Amino acid sequence: MDPTTDNAGYTGDPGKARASLEALRAEIAKAVVGQDPAVTGLVVALLCRGHVLLEGVPGVAKTLLVRALASALELETKRVQFTPDLMPSDVTGSLVYDTRTAEFRFQPGPVFTNLLLADEINRTPPKTQSSLLEAMEERQVTVDGTPRALPDPFLVAATQNPVEYEGTYPLPEAQLDRFLLKLTIPLPSRQDEIDVLTRHAEGFNPRDLHAAGVRPVAGPADLEAARAAVAKTTVSPEITAYVVDICRATRESPSLTLGVSPRGATALLATSRAWAWLTGRDYVIPDDVKALALPALRHRVQLRPEAEMEGVTADSVINAILAHVPVPR
């Protein structure tokens, strides 16, 4: 039996789990070119039981990235295209009358999956956006007063277009704060774009990942073993204080009207632990915190209008704070 293709072969060993998760990058690279940081961010979110907001212009393989990750992890994935007429029940599910039994039965919606791709989440009204809040925070859906648990693992990967705002409904701060990470998907470099076109010229079909050679290299058992190991990763009091000092500095920044909440500080600490474990350590160092500061905090701050007019960005403010907050030795 090949342990890379059958979950029954997983032993739950943390070392094997780390090796399997590291192999994800090479496997996903068979379908997606040059998006290693986004792959790492999605894995970190899975380890922390969090959710991810993917921001990038159309055509940079956001959907393909999530589908390839699901295939390489042997997880179920579903996609919902968020539109202005999408109803909450279209996401969560609804009660359907069964004429054979003369009773109402629950028809699960697409949220009942492992990886939910919420495509262009800012295209749908707040009523439908909020239907994801309970699922993201409580990992359950309540319909007609009955809570129904979602599968584990469960991750929402929501995408939004950063350049086209006509006909969109910006996510409220309360919902943005529910996303563990905000990952920006950049346009590829010249060489990466050449590689993409070369693959397509050679017959690559993004709708057929199996033909592209993407195979399961990890599974739910590996994620469970990895989560247990991450929970044992040591965090010193100095590192905890460093995380708090960074988050408190955002609340005092003259460029921001809204700083990072304690939930954001918790997210930064959790993702730093996951990153430390993925890089082969059982303790967190300041560089781990710096590596996750931007994706963990950029969507939790709000710029002042005058700062935004001057070209200041959330990333530049956080980078400035990282440069000034004393680093523990």
Side-chain angles (χ1 to χ4, degrees):
M1 179 183 298
D2 182 357
T4 64
T5 57
D6 194 318
N7 280 345
Y10 294 135
T11 63
D13 176 65
K16 179 184 178 298
R18 183 189 287 117
S20 297
L21 293 177
E22 287 175 350
L24 281 174
R25 295 182 185 179
E27 202 64 25
I28 293 174
K30 296 177 181 178
V32 182
V33 177
Q35 297 292 359
D36 280 357
V39 173
T40 301
L42 286 166
V43 173
V44 166
L46 281 168
L47 293 179
C48 298
R49 291 183 168 87
H51 309 284
V52 173
L53 185 63
L54 300 171
E55 186 172 271
V57 298
V60 290
K62 298 187 294 292
T63 302
L64 181 60
L65 175 62
V66 175
R67 289 180 53 239
L69 177 68
S71 295
L73 280 173
E74 208 167 14
L75 298 176
E76 182 187 34
T77 182
K78 293 180 182 176
R79 175 180 177 272
V80 177
Q81 180 66 48
F82 279 69
T83 57
D85 60 346
L86 193 74
M87 299 296 292
S89 59
D90 295 329
V91 178
T92 60
S94 59
L95 295 176
V96 178
Y97 184 72
D98 191 334
T99 56
R100 293 174 298 178
T101 62
E103 294 179 348
F104 285 94
R105 61 178 176 82
F106 178 66
Q107 180 66 39
V111 75
F112 286 86
T113 187
N114 296 125
L115 269 67
L116 176 68
L117 179 62
D119 220 351
E120 294 189 296
I121 191 172
N122 55 339
R123 289 271 173 212
T124 200
K127 181 179 181 180
T128 306
Q129 290 177 5
S130 64
S131 68
L132 276 178
L133 276 178
E134 183 187 15
M136 293 169 64
E137 190 69 19
E138 306 296 335
R139 299 185 179 275
Q140 67 178 24
V141 167
T142 301
V143 177
D144 197 33
T146 303
R148 294 172 169 85
L150 295 170
D152 185 39
F154 172 68
L155 179 143
V156 174
T159 73
Q160 62 178 13
N161 183 347
V163 295
E164 187 181 355
Y165 291 107
E166 185 175 349
T168 63
Y169 303 84
L171 293 174
E173 283 70 25
Q175 183 155 359
L176 280 172
D177 207 32
R178 259 59 176 197
F179 285 99
L180 183 73
L181 299 173
K182 179 182 177 180
L183 305 175
T184 56
I185 310 297
L187 288 166
S189 66
R190 180 176 182 273
Q191 185 55 53
D192 284 344
E193 196 163 2
I194 289 174
D195 292 344
V196 170
L197 268 62
T198 300
R199 290 187 182 191
H200 279 266
E202 293 172 350
F204 171 71
N205 182 359
R207 297 171 184 82
D208 190 354
L209 295 178
H210 185 79
V214 178
R215 300 289 185 270
V217 294
D222 289 301
L223 284 175
E224 281 304 311
R227 286 170 174 174
V230 168
K232 297 176 182 177
T233 302
T234 303
V235 181
S236 69
E238 292 78 13
I239 291 295
T240 302
Y242 182 50
V243 170
V244 169
D245 289 343
I246 291 172
C247 295
R248 291 182 67 86
T250 65
R251 302 168 202 163
E252 300 167 0
S253 171
S255 299
L256 302 176
T257 59
L258 179 69
V260 177
S261 69
R263 179 189 284 135
T266 302
L268 179 55
L269 184 62
T271 54
S272 299
R273 294 176 81 184
W275 174 244
W277 180 83
L278 279 172
T279 53
R281 279 179 282 100
D282 60 357
Y283 57 92
V284 181
I285 62 175
D287 284 347
D288 299 325
V289 178
K290 291 180 179 180
L292 272 299
L294 287 179
L297 304 181
R298 58 164 59 110
H299 56 297
R300 304 176 193 272
V301 300
Q302 193 173 71
L303 290 167
R304 292 187 181 277
E306 55 269 28
E308 203 165 2
M309 290 177 64
E310 293 174 359
V312 176
T313 64
D315 284 13
S316 64
V317 172
I318 295 170
N319 279 327
I321 288 172
L322 291 174
H324 286 89
V325 172
V327 179
R329 295 185 179 274

